[in-house]
Amino acid sequence: MKNTKKTGFATRAIHTGQEPDPLTGSVTVPIYPTSTYVQQGIGQHKGYEYSRVSNPTRTRLEQNLAALEGGVAARVFSSGMAAIHAIVNMLKSGDHVVCGNDLYGGTPRLFNQVMSNFGLEFSYVDTTDAGNVERAIGKHTRMVYVETPTNPLMRLTDLEAISAICRRRKLDLVVDNTFMSPYFQQPLALGADLVVHSTTKFLNGHSDGLGGVVVCAKPQHAEKLAFLQKAAGAILSPFECWLVLRGVKTLAARMDIHDRSGRTVADFLVKHNKVKAVFYPGLIDHPQHALGKRQMTGFGSMISFETGSLNNANRMLKRVRVCSLGESLGGVETLISHPATMTHAALGAKGRKAIGITDGLVRISVGIEDVDDIVEDLDQALNAI
Ligand SMILES: Cc1ncc(COP(=O)(O)O)c(C=O)c1O
């Protein structure tokens, strides 16, 4: 099926790149577990030469994800971090990147502990105020890198405002859209140049494979990233491409439930006497609720809340039964985690304090189980505090 603007999101998720196999009629995309391809003669082949460069299962996934984000092309990688690594590998020594200061912990770890050894420079600012981004731009700035909502504090960045600055200053805007998925937020339509996802999360949706994708608005980025797939080789395997192709078919249906249950759980947490604060953009008193309504079509199921102390967090997390204590998010099962010791441990106590991640903060990725069971489980666990 062609990527026409006329078809709806769920239709594209199920059919774009997911056309029946022309050889057999198989309704699902075949997995091509091959490293190489027989050639008909020197320079004569059917478009595939070696699987680090391209693979038919991967091609299909890249077509699908490009269509969902509205990009010209997508490139998939072996994890979300590999995708982010490829993005900053498009830069060169001496280049500077302005980043949000409340990113998934692995991202500043890569930037500060790996990429800075190669002469790249990174500044971190609170991107809830577009003025901070503008002020951090210098002579060598090439890129602005944001996550919205942020992980784990659920702060929003005004993508239209930041992309207007980037256009004016000739910078590339990169948006990590992992928390929202293209179902609820389409950064390219708001002016971003590149969208990155950990496909490990909502796009796959079943917690059974790692992966990452970069979706590009411009062909020159798509070409550079294809070159990096070939040159550096951190590509996604055909089997894991297939897992995402399968998972993404239900993205729209899953996201609707995630969103509905996310709102229910957030409302429950707000009213619970053991919970000191709830961070969820779907709440009317979230400071950026209006912006969220403008640039997102749903609020999703990522919520953080304050239990008051490490001891309180530990007591409740030990008691959960329906929710699973573990890192990651975006799966059909509810996952609950402790950012200070898990996803954001690498920031160090000082780094966490600077952005407001406390030892009592708990993050929940509300799954698609019966929401009453999730609420009951959280209630009994919180009452252990
Ligand atoms: C927002 C966000 N971006 C990127 C990543 C990295 O993805 P991966 O774990 O697939 O490497 C994560 C992982 O948790 C994430 O939450």
Side-chain angles (χ1 to χ4, degrees):
M1 199 187 80
K2 285 244 164 61
N3 169 22
T4 64
K5 284 258 155 73
K6 286 186 199 96
T7 53
F9 186 94
T11 309
R12 270 177 286 150
I14 293 167
H15 293 294
T16 306
Q18 310 242 34
E19 298 82 358
D21 175 36
L23 204 61
T24 62
S26 160
V27 295
T28 57
V29 173
I31 305 171
Y32 286 87
T34 187
S35 57
T36 192
Y37 307 84
V38 171
Q39 306 196 14
Q40 290 73 57
I42 295 173
Q44 289 179 306
H45 53 75
K46 298 179 176 171
Y48 293 93
E49 294 160 86
Y50 189 65
S51 273
R52 175 158 32 76
V53 182
S54 54
N55 176 283
T57 317
R58 198 168 99 208
T59 304
R60 300 285 208 106
L61 177 61
E62 293 179 337
Q63 287 168 347
N64 180 277
L65 297 180
L68 295 187
E69 280 287 4
V72 296
R75 303 289 177 232
V76 293
F77 294 88
S78 55
S79 68
M81 287 319 304
I84 297 167
H85 189 218
I87 290 173
V88 286
N89 267 325
M90 291 195 288
L91 301 171
K92 56 184 189 326
S93 176
D95 287 349
H96 171 246
V97 184
V98 177
C99 311
N101 67 353
D102 181 21
L103 303 173
Y104 163 62
T107 303
R109 178 174 54 204
L110 171 72
F111 292 172
N112 301 341
Q113 296 182 47
V114 183
M115 301 315 294
S116 64
N117 296 332
F118 297 89
L120 292 185
E121 293 194 10
F122 301 90
S123 304
Y124 298 89
V125 298
D126 177 357
T127 56
T128 58
D129 176 355
N132 290 337
V133 173
E134 180 105 57
R135 281 185 288 278
I137 295 169
K139 214 166 96 199
H140 300 293
T141 309
R142 298 284 171 267
M143 188 178 271
V144 173
Y145 185 101
V146 300
E147 243 173 62
T148 180
T150 60
N151 180 0
L153 291 166
M154 305 306 292
R155 294 175 182 143
L156 307 185
T157 291
D158 184 337
L159 292 179
E160 275 180 320
I162 306 281
S163 72
I165 295 171
C166 289
R167 259 197 313 280
R168 191 156 27 82
R169 307 289 294 258
K170 299 197 174 13
L171 309 175
D172 289 329
L173 174 60
V174 183
V175 179
D176 184 332
N177 199 24
T178 299
F179 272 26
M180 281 297 108
S181 90
Y183 187 61
F184 285 140
Q185 180 170 267
Q186 306 227 326
L188 299 184
L190 299 172
D193 299 285
L194 296 151
V195 169
V196 62
H197 284 269
S198 166
T199 63
T200 315
K201 320 298 184 198
F202 291 102
L203 289 175
N204 176 313
H206 293 75
S207 309
D208 52 12
L210 267 83
V213 63
V214 187
V215 186
C216 311
K218 296 178 181 144
Q220 61 266 38
H221 285 140
E223 269 168 43
K224 272 194 186 176
L225 289 166
F227 176 76
L228 283 165
Q229 285 180 319
K230 173 162 92 175
I235 43 96
L236 195 60
S237 76
F239 177 63
E240 279 171 314
C241 286
W242 184 84
L243 284 177
V244 182
L245 279 165
R246 185 177 64 162
V248 87
K249 287 182 182 179
T250 55
L251 181 67
R254 283 186 283 110
M255 291 313 285
D256 279 336
I257 305 175
H258 280 301
D259 184 59
R260 211 166 50 235
S261 298
R263 291 172 201 234
T264 305
V265 169
D267 287 341
F268 156 78
L269 289 170
V270 164
K271 290 191 204 109
H272 203 284
N273 62 1
K274 298 287 171 68
V275 175
K276 318 254 179 284
V278 181
F279 305 93
Y280 181 66
L283 294 170
I284 280 169
D285 57 2
H286 183 287
Q288 295 165 298
H289 179 69
L291 170 61
K293 274 171 83 172
R294 206 166 71 230
Q295 74 180 15
M296 289 138 60
T297 52
F299 296 105
S301 68
M302 297 304 300
I303 306 166
S304 291
F305 58 96
E306 182 55 56
T307 62
S309 68
L310 178 62
N311 194 31
N312 284 351
N314 200 21
R315 277 165 75 171
M316 88 145 289
L317 290 171
K318 275 188 170 162
R319 283 278 296 253
V320 289
R321 297 289 174 265
V322 176
C323 309
S324 303
L325 173 60
E327 302 203 19
S328 204
L329 59 109
V332 289
E333 56 289 292
T334 298
L335 285 168
I336 194 158
S337 68
H338 184 242
T341 56
M342 296 179 168
T343 47
H344 291 70
L347 286 186
K350 222 167 120 194
R352 288 192 297 277
K353 193 169 175 210
I355 55 173
I357 301 176
T358 64
D359 286 351
L361 192 76
V362 170
R363 189 190 77 183
I364 183 165
S365 164
V366 179
I368 63 170
E369 302 96 336
D370 293 292
V371 71
D372 291 348
D373 293 331
I374 301 169
V375 165
E376 205 179 296
D377 189 40
L378 289 171
D379 192 35
Q380 63 80 25
L382 281 165
N383 289 334
I385 294 178

